[in-house]
Amino acid sequence: MTLYSALQKDARAGKKKFAVLIDADKYTLPSLRKAAEISVKAGADYFFFGGSLLTSDSQTDFITWIKDNTAVPVVLFPGNSQQLNNKADAILLLSLISGRNPDMLIGRHVISAPFLKASKLEILPTGYMLIESGRMTSVAYMSGTTPIPSNKDEIAVCTAMAGEMLGLGLIYMDAGSGAQNPVPVSMIEKVKSSTSVPLIIGGGINTPLKAKAALNAGADVIVVGNAIEKDPSVITRIGSVIH
Ligand code: 1GP
């Protein structure tokens, strides 16, 4: 079964999942091992790999270590085409549909297509939506796009519906890494009730309470990165909310 079929099946059955986001720049091999061990014990469903910048060359070693030592699938969540890596299992092929930057909607994909076609990566076409979350986030700055205002649920709903109609198999609403405020609950509820593809929510989820709020509102997968870099034990507490 592909990762996408499993995700779709679990989303339909209401089985919630969580992804631990690894930004390779923020880890050393020992700290990665520790986070990975805690993640496995906490029942993490995926390791997502990515970040707005990647300045070290450790990503390949980290992915290799995770593949050799755990059974948790590795999914690329690339900030740019330099983060492509065929040691992973799958890639969120992100089209930044909340923005109007053609490079992020289709340009980078054209450049990456031959590499992806030749790789064994499972391609997960994803409508990626940035949601305004207080202060400017790295992803908004680096992508040169304006996030959807956090009080404009209807814009988020129409954007997600359009993404689904274009054939994107996942919607990922992201407040941005380390966001001051996560994606609002009312926005998650409305997007969930207007679309039928699995919904991923991330950005600023740093407590079990915020994880629970996103899941209850309709998130099928939540993504946690920043909070874990600061305190890996957060994974255990969030894992217990989910499973
Ligand atoms: C960022 O959604 C991810 O793109 C995760 O956000 O790092 O705030 O958990 P955090």
Side-chain angles (χ1 to χ4, degrees):
M1 189 185 271
T2 61
L3 286 188
Y4 185 66
S5 318
L7 190 48
Q8 222 176 12
K9 186 167 155 255
D10 288 340
R12 284 191 189 131
K15 190 171 169 229
K16 308 291 184 179
K17 299 193 162 191
F18 87 110
V20 169
L21 173 63
I22 305 288
D23 177 341
D25 277 355
K26 309 278 172 57
Y27 286 86
T28 58
L29 194 54
S31 65
L32 175 89
R33 280 183 186 167
K34 187 178 171 199
E37 280 158 14
I38 298 176
S39 302
V40 169
K41 274 195 199 135
D45 298 284
Y46 308 100
F47 286 110
F48 282 5
F49 265 81
S52 292
L53 281 173
L54 189 63
T55 57
S56 69
D57 59 359
S58 46
Q59 180 168 271
T60 303
D61 290 346
F62 290 177
I63 293 176
T64 305
W65 189 90
I66 288 192
K67 293 301 305 165
D68 289 348
N69 293 280
T70 81
V72 181
V74 171
V75 179
L76 300 176
F77 171 46
N80 57 56
S81 23
Q82 283 157 345
Q83 294 176 22
L84 302 182
N85 194 305
N86 54 22
K87 298 218 176 308
D89 298 292
I91 178 170
L92 297 177
L93 187 60
L94 306 168
S95 187
L96 210 174
I97 57 175
S98 59
R100 298 296 177 268
N101 177 348
D103 209 27
M104 296 290 169
L105 283 161
I106 181 66
R108 304 279 176 93
H109 316 66
V110 173
I111 294 164
S112 307
F115 173 90
L116 294 176
K117 184 91 179 167
S119 79
K120 291 198 172 70
L121 293 166
E122 181 181 339
I123 311 292
L124 302 167
T126 303
Y128 186 55
M129 296 167 52
L130 290 180
I131 312 300
E132 186 271 322
S133 59
R135 51 179 179 249
M136 168 80 101
T137 58
S138 302
V139 61
Y141 177 78
M142 295 299 286
S143 65
T145 66
T146 308
I148 294 175
S150 57
N151 62 343
K152 299 292 181 191
D153 293 353
E154 66 283 8
I155 299 181
V157 166
C158 296
T159 306
M161 287 196 314
E164 182 177 15
M165 288 170 187
L166 283 166
L168 300 170
L170 297 167
I171 296 292
Y172 186 157
M173 288 205 286
D174 197 348
S177 195
Q180 205 172 357
N181 306 305
V183 178
V185 160
S186 71
M187 190 179 272
I188 300 174
E189 284 170 350
K190 286 181 188 137
V191 167
K192 184 63 189 174
S193 63
S194 314
T195 53
S196 54
V197 294
L199 181 59
I200 306 175
I201 302 291
I205 299 177
N206 49 17
T207 64
L209 210 64
K210 288 180 190 169
K212 205 169 183 175
L215 294 165
N216 288 344
D220 297 301
V221 181
I222 57 159
V223 184
V224 183
N226 204 267
I228 294 165
E229 292 156 16
K230 291 181 182 144
D231 173 12
S233 72
V234 171
I235 305 173
T236 311
R237 287 184 277 126
I238 290 183
S240 65
V241 164
I242 295 186
H243 301 298

